[in-house]
Amino acid sequence: MNSQQSSSATAYRLELLRPVPAFHRAARHDKQLRKGQLVYYGPHPTYYGIGEVKRVNGSNIAVDFRGTGTFGVHEEIMDQRYLIRIPQDKLSKL
C-alpha cells in the first residue's frame, strides 16, 4: 500500500452525480430540504462530496459532508440553490 495516497480519495462514486449549476431549473425546483436528507454540491459534486442536512435556516443549509469530497470539508453552511438532493435511483449505486 502506498503511504502517499491522496487523503481526498473517497469510497463514493461521485462521478455518478450530474453537475447542476446553481441557477439551473433543477437547482431551484422543489427545494424543501429537511434535516437528515442526503445532498450534494450541484455545480461540482466531487468538490464537497455527499452530505447530510443538519440544520435549515431559511435558504441557509448546514450540511455535514464528513470529508467525502476533494476539499475535505466536514461541515459547511450553503445557500440551498447550491444543494441537490441525491436521486433515489442513485443512492444504491453510490
Side-chain angles (χ1 to χ4, degrees):
M1 182 173 175
N2 185 354
S3 62
Q4 298 294 325
Q5 286 180 341
S6 170
S7 62
S8 63
T10 178
Y12 293 112
R13 297 194 52 213
L14 300 173
E15 74 277 3
L16 295 177
L17 299 172
R18 69 181 182 99
V20 178
F23 294 100
H24 188 278
R25 191 177 104 166
R28 293 180 286 138
H29 178 67
D30 191 26
K31 283 300 186 173
Q32 297 296 321
L33 297 177
R34 290 185 264 302
K35 185 176 177 177
Q37 288 181 313
L38 294 177
V39 296
Y40 69 95
Y41 176 67
H44 204 295
T46 60
Y47 283 0
Y48 288 91
I50 294 172
E52 178 185 354
V53 173
K54 291 297 187 181
R55 290 180 304 286
V56 178
N57 184 11
S59 67
N60 294 318
I61 313 292
V63 181
D64 183 357
F65 289 103
R66 296 182 180 103
T68 59
T70 58
F71 286 171
V73 172
H74 286 273
E75 188 164 323
E76 182 73 65
I77 296 174
M78 300 181 141
D79 189 293
Q80 69 178 353
R81 67 181 161 208
Y82 294 104
L83 298 169
I84 304 296
R85 277 190 241 174
I86 297 181
Q88 286 297 105
D89 64 326
K90 300 282 187 196
L91 279 175
S92 63
K93 297 175 185 173
L94 295 173

